[in-house]
Each structure stands twice: as C-alpha cells, then as structure tokens.
Amino acid sequence: MKTSLIPLIAFFFLCFSCDKIDEVIIPTIEETTAHGFLKIIDFSSSITEDSEIEDFDVEDGYIYFIYSKSIYRINLNSESNIAEHLIEDTLDWPATLKVIGNILYYQGDGSYSLSTDIKQMDLNNISGGVQSTNSILGSSRSEFCKNADKLLYVSSPNGLSPINNLYELNQSSSDQLIATEEYVHLENMRVVDNYLYFSSVKEIRKLDLNNPTEKSSIVYTIPDIADSFFSDNDILGFDIKDNIIYLTQISNNKLLSINLEKPNEDPIILKTNSNHGVTGYSKMIISNGKLYVKKLSDKQLEVFEI
C-alpha cells in the first residue's frame, strides 16, 4: 500500500502549532482507509431527552444501554434504530448493566440510588419489570463484567477503601471472591482466554484468572505529556481483540488502536469525532467481530468491523 504524505504533514503541523486544542496524548499515525467503519446507530428519533449513555452491552442481536434513568435496547438487525424502552428506575438510577442469555442485570450508582444491589429482569417477561434483586458483598463500585455465563462485579469494604474485590454472583449461595486489588481501579473489564483485562486510570492491566492470588500486571501505559491536566490522559473506554487494544481518552476526540506485538509503534487513529472538540468518544464493546463505540454526548454509537 502506498504511503500518503498527508499524515506526515499533519503531524509536523501539530508539532509546531501554538493551538493545542486537538493535541493528542501520544503521536499517532492517521490512516487513509476507513478501518472497517460500518455504520452509525442514531437513536435520536426515538429518545427526545438529553442525557448520555452510562453503560451498554451487546447480546443476541440487540444492543442494550442505560440512558438517563432508563434502560433501552435496539435491534441490530433493523435499520430503523428505534430504541425500545425496557424499564425506568427513578429510585436506583441504573449505572452499569450486563445481559447474559435472557437475563438483564443492572445496578444503581451508589452516589444517587437508595440501593446498590444487583437487579434482574427476564427479557422474556419485560412487562414483569424487575423480577429479583441480589444483595452484594461490600460497597458497590458499579462495575460489571461477563465471564461466559457468569456475572462478575466489583465492590470494596467501604466507600473510602483502596481495596477492590472482584466477586462472582451466585444465585444460590454466597458470592465467590475471585480476586483482590489495592490502589487499582477496575474499569472496562473484559475476560479473554481466562485473563481479566481492565483499564485503570492511564494503564491497561491483566489478571490471570487461573492464578488470581497474583496481582494484575501492566499491559500498556499511556505516556504523560507536559502541561496536561491531571486526568487528561485517563482512559474512558477500552477493549481488546487479537492482541490489539482499542481505547479512548479524556480530552482526546480520537478512537485509537494499539498493536501489543509492536508496542513501540505509534497508535493508529481509527476515527475522529469532531462534533465535540476534544472529547468525542467513550465506552466501547467488541462483539461478534464488531466494535461498538459510543460517542461521548451524542445519541449515537459507531460500529466498526474488526
């Protein structure tokens, strides 16, 4: 493939420009291809309220997401992008969700809700609303993860503790403690080949679930840049497939990919969201060979084939 001079010119222009609004966290190479971009899922026609997607999941041909105090889903096999309203919870504002089979699990944000227990909805009986509630161990961190047909959640002994415990939800007995991490934030958790990958501030880390007593190790760290604000580098969204990291950051309107087999090479920009200055993308999920990325404050998600 022929190499274009345009990315190099753009790079040198950024280096010598006094305007740092679009300065990226680390040098990047912007390709001229579409990087497998498929489509935009725009649900603005069916949701009029202005808010932001808090969390989302993909399961069995649907994308499920939290928007304001409600949970919706969209049929990915339909071109209409109509968001179907599933449930509204004004007492325990939904903050995180996962769908396993026909069960939707969600949990409120401890800062606003009356409870941080895990609630369940049978998707074969949506009109029945919440069918059961599971009490968690400890104080919720409002973070879920799927490990095959098991639901994992994060909690701590109390709201100020630096300890984060990873539990497996058990419907018939006490929840099983899987691992414990200190002074590490378990966010954007993914299980791949029996490793738990997650982001923590500026790091991508992994934990061997075959040996969970060993602490997690760093897979990749986003380098700091001079004169940046405290959290400007922090990772917002992360997922991994075939040794390729996909991530988004605070104060960066780029969707980036990093090849772990070539860690010294610059990240590639898959796409830029110019609608909102330097904060364009956030959480993401890889499912069935597709990457779903939410735009930070738009009523849209972008889909890529990877």
Side-chain angles (χ1 to χ4, degrees):
M1 183 178 68
K2 293 183 179 179
T3 302
S4 172
L5 292 177
I6 295 175
L8 295 176
I9 295 171
F11 172 74
F12 285 113
F13 175 78
L14 283 173
C15 288
F16 293 100
S17 174
C18 293
D19 183 1
K20 294 186 178 181
I21 292 178
D22 287 325
E23 183 178 27
V24 293
I25 300 305
I26 39 183
T28 55
I29 300 175
E30 185 153 15
E31 297 282 331
T32 57
T33 63
H35 296 287
F37 176 73
L38 292 176
K39 64 178 180 178
I40 292 176
I41 299 174
D42 188 323
F43 53 89
S44 58
S45 65
S46 53
I47 299 179
T48 58
E49 183 179 3
D50 287 329
S51 187
E52 182 181 333
I53 295 176
E54 293 293 331
D55 196 12
F56 68 98
D57 194 17
V58 177
E59 181 80 5
D60 197 26
Y62 285 89
I63 188 163
Y64 297 81
F65 61 95
I66 299 169
Y67 197 83
S68 186
K69 306 176 188 68
S70 295
I71 298 176
Y72 298 83
R73 72 176 179 182
I74 294 174
N75 186 343
L76 294 173
N77 296 314
S78 171
E79 295 298 323
S80 67
N81 294 336
I82 298 299
E84 176 189 359
H85 186 267
L86 299 182
I87 193 168
E88 181 181 26
D89 194 331
T90 57
L91 294 178
D92 295 333
W93 293 12
T96 185
L97 66 78
K98 283 291 178 286
V99 179
I100 301 176
N102 67 322
I103 301 297
L104 184 150
Y105 301 89
Y106 76 91
Q107 189 176 44
D109 184 338
S111 302
Y112 303 101
S113 65
L114 298 178
S115 167
T116 54
D117 292 343
I118 298 172
K119 295 184 175 182
Q120 296 186 34
M121 169 188 281
D122 185 348
L123 294 170
N124 293 326
N125 182 23
I126 293 174
S127 62
V130 173
Q131 279 94 31
S132 62
T133 301
N134 300 89
S135 297
I136 67 167
L137 297 173
S139 178
S140 169
R141 294 296 196 198
S142 296
E143 292 287 339
F144 282 172
C145 180
K146 291 192 287 192
N147 185 11
D149 61 347
K150 305 296 184 182
L151 180 73
L152 309 181
Y153 68 88
V154 181
S155 68
S156 64
N158 59 69
L160 300 177
S161 174
I163 297 173
N164 288 279
N165 293 317
L166 181 68
Y167 286 99
E168 179 184 301
L169 181 67
N170 193 317
Q171 305 285 6
S172 58
S173 62
S174 298
D175 297 342
Q176 179 183 354
L177 178 63
I178 303 297
T180 296
E181 293 277 329
E182 291 189 67
Y183 299 100
V184 171
H185 299 278
L186 283 80
E187 299 178 318
N188 299 303
M189 297 183 293
R190 305 288 185 266
V191 176
V192 180
D193 297 330
N194 221 38
Y195 283 93
L196 176 74
Y197 291 84
F198 60 93
S199 65
S200 177
V201 189
K202 298 174 179 64
E203 299 172 342
I204 303 297
R205 305 179 69 97
K206 74 174 181 179
L207 176 74
D208 187 352
L209 293 177
N210 288 321
N211 191 16
T213 56
E214 295 291 329
K215 298 303 180 184
S216 62
S217 59
I218 298 174
V219 174
Y220 191 85
T221 301
I222 302 299
D224 286 321
I225 59 170
D227 302 323
S228 65
F229 289 105
F230 178 74
S231 62
D232 273 0
N233 306 39
D234 289 4
I235 296 167
L236 283 175
F238 153 78
D239 211 332
I240 184 169
K241 178 178 171 59
D242 298 332
N243 232 19
I244 304 294
I245 287 175
Y246 301 87
L247 63 84
T248 59
Q249 299 169 268
I250 296 174
S251 298
N252 187 348
N253 63 345
K254 311 293 192 294
L255 170 61
L256 304 173
S257 71
I258 300 162
N259 189 337
L260 290 179
E261 294 179 353
K262 303 174 182 178
N264 295 324
E265 291 191 0
D266 294 330
I268 293 173
I269 300 173
L270 300 185
K271 208 163 185 292
T272 301
N273 177 18
S274 58
N275 290 344
H276 294 283
V278 293
T279 53
Y281 292 104
S282 184
K283 290 183 177 291
M284 63 183 69
I285 288 175
I286 294 174
S287 178
N288 296 323
K290 293 182 175 62
L291 173 67
Y292 299 84
V293 187
K294 84 160 200 171
K295 289 189 172 182
L296 189 67
S297 56
D298 293 331
K299 296 179 181 179
Q300 293 181 340
L301 299 103
E302 293 191 354
V303 187
F304 298 78
E305 188 170 35
I306 59 173

